Amino acid sequence: MPKVTFLNKQGRVAVDCHEGETLLQAGLRQGVPLPYGCGAGVCSTCVARARPGTVENAWADAPGAQNLKHDKGECLLCQSLVTDDCEILVPGKIDLAQTLADTPAHYRARLHDVAVVAPDVATFQLSLEGQADYTAGQYFLIRLEGMQGYRPYSMTDFQREAQTLNFVIKRIPNGRFSDEIFSNGVSEAKVDVFGPMGLATFDPSDPQESRDLVCLVGGSGIAGIMSVLDRAVSVNHFESHRLLMVFGVRRREDFFFLDELRRVKESAPDNVSIHLAVSEEGSEEVDALSDFPLHQGFVHEVAEGLGDGVFENRLAFLGGPPAMLTGSLALLLGAGVPVSDIRYDRFG
Ligand SMILES: Cc1cc2nc3c(=O)[nH]c(=O)nc-3n(C[C@H](O)[C@H](O)[C@H](O)COP(=O)(O)OP(=O)(O)OC[C@H]3O[C@@H](n4cnc5c(N)ncnc54)[C@H](O)[C@@H]3O)c2cc1C
Ligand code: FES
């Protein structure tokens, strides 16, 4: 089994790497605090350096690899495989003397119970061989048997010692994993998974996070935020803190998880304020869809219209497509919310 040594000016740490395991997975699994965002070749957060020729790039066309300086040995830790011992130079700000408190692991799992809940949106479950603890807002990397590469999906609820994980998936045109679920009707499959991962998390037992929340979400970007809300409700968080949420989709028929949101509202009706937004309909058709106020416009536009000072002192969770994230980030930063109080994963 190859030995990988991660090093920088602050120190060095050596770990084992299983066959077929990426350098990122090997390091995180053994507690090395490596930088990452998506774990799937998209975000470029995991750039490191290796001696040219010592690591194999598992996915040359990865969007996150487009600006790598190959002549300087740059590689994505999440797409790099090794067959021999090697040394990897990681960014100097990583403290290699630290060890992660919670480490992700590999699991075999069964994918099942696919259910379409809105046009091009389905829920599915994974039954793990084993059990996993995760923090609300985290995700797992999922690899379908016979398919190259892992896809990140966020859990939609919060559990401890979970044996069955719950997800929601948005159909991606020509997406290989989503085609298996939607076009080829895969209702049961063997998968490899790795996790939990992700830093856009919520832990109300931490006094720093005992705060009012604001959640701005679009489409399937609601996934990890449902986990955050589930966790909050489980500790009656909204009895003493407020929630302001805007959930946007294109058309009225695209909404899903409304029953789950109703349960969040019922947990503390006076403190929970949930708004729905549709971006593609004429405002004259936008009337009561459910118990929640329904607005016309993009999520950040609707949020902006909710009044001055509504984001003050709130911990923010964002989820959705890139344009929604950009608009919502601009809104929150403009309203004076510090960057350290805004949490999100970039889906693409
Ligand atoms: C942190 C995070 C959480 C997410 N959570 C959710 C969620 O809860 N629900 C949801 O609907 N979407 C979520 N997404 C988006 C979701 O991961 C993508 O929509 C999904 O990866 C698309 O997969 P696909 O096979 O359908 O599409 P494709 O276009 O076929 O594949 C795209 C992805 O597959 C992987 N991939 C493709 N080819 C290769 C290859 N040759 N080698 C290695 N890897 C490869 C990469 O991860 C790539 O981004 C999340 C994204 C991130 C970053
Ligand atoms: S973590 Fe490697 S590209 Fe996102």
Side-chain angles (χ1 to χ4, degrees):
M1 195 182 302
K3 183 155 278 186
V4 180
T5 304
F6 296 105
L7 57 107
N8 61 15
K9 280 186 187 153
Q10 299 200 52
R12 56 198 292 136
V13 58
V15 301
D16 294 328
C17 191
H18 295 318
E19 192 187 337
E21 189 177 38
T22 66
L23 294 183
L24 180 69
Q25 292 172 350
L28 295 178
R29 177 173 60 77
Q30 290 161 93
V32 185
L34 298 173
Y36 72 92
C38 64
V42 180
C43 70
S44 319
T45 310
C46 64
V47 174
R49 286 187 184 187
R51 279 203 188 83
T54 58
V55 302
E56 181 197 332
N57 184 354
W59 187 23
D61 295 332
Q66 298 317 305
N67 295 320
L68 292 180
K69 299 184 185 89
H70 294 287
D71 55 326
K72 296 202 165 133
E74 282 188 352
C75 60
L76 297 179
L77 292 173
C78 73
Q79 298 301 325
S80 295
L81 306 173
V82 290
T83 47
D84 277 319
D85 293 358
C86 67
E87 291 188 331
I88 304 293
L89 185 63
V90 297
K93 59 178 192 262
I94 306 296
D95 183 357
L96 291 171
Q98 296 280 328
T99 305
L100 295 174
D102 299 310
T103 51
H106 295 280
Y107 299 85
R108 293 284 295 151
R110 187 171 60 86
L111 184 157
H112 58 96
D113 278 82
V114 177
V116 174
V117 292
D120 292 338
V121 180
T123 53
F124 68 90
Q125 294 189 317
L126 291 184
S127 289
L128 301 177
E129 286 179 7
Q131 58 187 33
D133 275 324
Y134 61 89
T135 308
Q138 286 195 296
Y139 64 90
F140 262 72
L141 294 173
I142 303 176
R143 182 170 63 183
L144 206 54
E145 208 167 61
M147 188 176 289
Q148 200 181 345
Y150 286 83
R151 275 78 173 154
Y153 288 94
S154 311
M155 284 72 80
T156 55
D157 61 356
F158 176 74
Q159 302 173 59
R160 292 191 192 285
E161 298 180 346
Q163 291 175 306
T164 303
L165 304 175
N166 292 295
F167 299 91
V168 65
I169 174 171
K170 164 100 176 113
R171 181 180 211 150
I172 301 295
N174 303 317
R176 274 166 295 162
F177 183 79
S178 81
D179 267 356
E180 288 299 317
I181 301 281
F182 289 95
S183 305
N184 301 339
V186 165
S187 56
E188 178 105 14
K190 295 243 172 65
V191 291
D192 290 317
V193 299
F194 182 79
M197 298 180 62
L199 306 172
T201 57
F202 176 58
D203 178 4
S205 66
D206 178 344
Q208 305 281 348
E209 308 204 0
S210 190
R211 312 261 303 270
D212 292 346
L213 307 185
V214 55
C215 299
L216 304 182
V217 297
S220 59
I222 199 172
I225 281 137
M226 293 309 294
S227 174
V228 166
L229 297 179
D230 195 27
R231 176 74 171 116
V233 169
S234 75
V235 294
N236 301 318
H237 187 75
F238 299 126
E239 283 182 5
S240 49
H241 299 91
R242 292 171 304 158
L243 167 69
L244 176 63
M245 176 166 183
V246 181
F247 173 30
V249 294
R250 286 192 183 171
R251 297 152 302 169
R252 295 153 66 103
E253 61 266 35
D254 294 332
F255 282 114
F256 54 97
F257 284 165
L258 294 185
D259 286 341
E260 288 79 354
L261 291 179
R262 210 165 281 126
R263 279 196 284 278
V264 176
K265 172 82 180 163
E266 285 164 2
S267 75
D270 292 341
N271 281 341
V272 170
S273 172
I274 298 175
H275 297 257
L276 303 180
V278 286
S279 59
E280 274 191 9
E281 282 175 329
S283 52
E284 68 280 2
E285 296 168 50
V286 176
D287 49 21
L289 171 81
S290 65
D291 333 348
F292 304 117
L294 182 61
H295 307 258
Q296 166 83 50
F298 291 111
V299 168
H300 61 283
E301 294 168 349
V302 170
E304 190 170 16
L306 295 177
D308 290 335
V310 290
F311 307 122
E312 223 164 84
N313 296 322
R314 296 201 186 223
L315 188 57
F317 290 90
L318 310 181
M324 196 230 90
L325 280 184
T326 306
S328 299
L329 270 173
L331 173 68
L332 293 176
L333 293 171
V337 180
V339 112
S340 54
D341 283 352
I342 306 176
R343 299 181 186 175
Y344 60 94
D345 290 315
R346 277 198 187 277
F347 271 28

